[in-house]
Amino acid sequence: MAGNKGVVYVGPGKVEVREIALPDLVDPRGRKIEHGVILKVVSTNICGSDQHMVRGRTTAPQGLVLGHEITGEVIEVGRDVETLQKGDLVSVPFNVACGRCQTCKEQNTGVCLSVNPSRAGGAYGYVDMGGWVGGQSEYVMVPYADFNLLKFPDRDQALAKMRDLTCLTDILPTGYHGAVTAGVGPGSTVYVAGAGPVGMAAAASARLLGAAVVIVGDVNPLRLAHARKVGFETVDVSLDATLGEQIALILGTPEVDCAIDAVGFEARGHGHAGAQHEAPATVLNSLMEVTRAAGKIGIPGLYVTDDPGAKDAAAQKGALSIRFGLGWAKSHSFFTGQTPVMKYNRALMQAILWNRINIAEVVGVELISLDDAPRGYAEFDAGAPRKFVIDPHGMLGTARA
């Protein structure tokens, strides 16, 4: 390791590629560890959750090294690591998890009790998630490596499939988690709110789980066009026709069996006028309206406890005007929280390797160099129907500066 460059948050609306410290086998509190590995980053993705921080919609500090979607090659192994060796290609779940606490043992790795002194749950390069350095960089350290890392069975096969396999770190398991917790199964009718990468991953997951019809809703015409191109029904929630009316034109009924919120707290209102303004409870309220009685709603979309950019004092503390009485009256089930990636990633890896899901095509993967990351952030923020994947060392074919 001659040096290390990474993507750094430098203030609202701006990221820069800078020289950052080389990783070491040390935790965020400065304690030496032997259960970790150092990775040469093969691919690292820009996530919608990163955009919340870059927009200034969280309390993320300036100077934070971003990136929690990491795939890499093991180049250094801690003394206590037993199942990995140099040269292994691995997928890194975005959850930092110890494998030893109660929630990890229950497979709830998104809320590990040991890796974050402030709250349950840890993640790389993310605000309030334990201080673990992000992986939009050339090299990164991963703790509890035996537990956290998913090793690919064949290096050449993995490199050939990397555009798809890079989605295992977060976006595909998150979409799949949304579909599973919404109760999607063979023959289900499904509505997915949001045609961004998570929404598209949820739609692809619903199709994998056997859904009869998957409808994707958004206000962005480019994203809706992409959703139709890869085989999904769509509704434009910027139109003045209600969501139920548009669903009825497709299904013959204004309700669906299952619904997935892949938008989160930066939602906009519905209708021509509403779509011009933020309305953070809109998606949740609309899903209660269109989900049948006793249906389930999966909520992989991000909601935060502190949103300094919100328009009102309640929303700044994560308090939303949700019609909970409607959900109660219809006996809905709601499932929220960070995805426990390890619950799903091995099975989803097999689905990719055996061509059961074309996730790179569905989410619009586009490879870019590390130095091109600021452009990726800007175009993603502007609504491009693509999933930007950074190739820091040019291992996947991008030019390296």
Side-chain angles (χ1 to χ4, degrees), residues 38-54:
I38 293 175
L39 301 181
K40 177 181 178 180
V41 177
V42 173
S43 65
T44 177
N45 315 334
I46 298 174
C47 179
S49 297
D50 297 323
Q51 292 285 17
H52 295 308
M53 292 186 290
V54 173

Side-chain angles (χ1 to χ4, degrees), residues 25 49 65 81 113 185 196 215 245 252 266 277 304 330 355 371 395-396:
L25 295 177
S49 297
V65 180
V81 175
L113 303 176
I215 304 168
E245 289 169 344
E266 287 193 70
H277 306 284
V304 295
K330 295 178 77 172
N355 300 314
D371 288 327
M395 295 178 67
L396 307 179

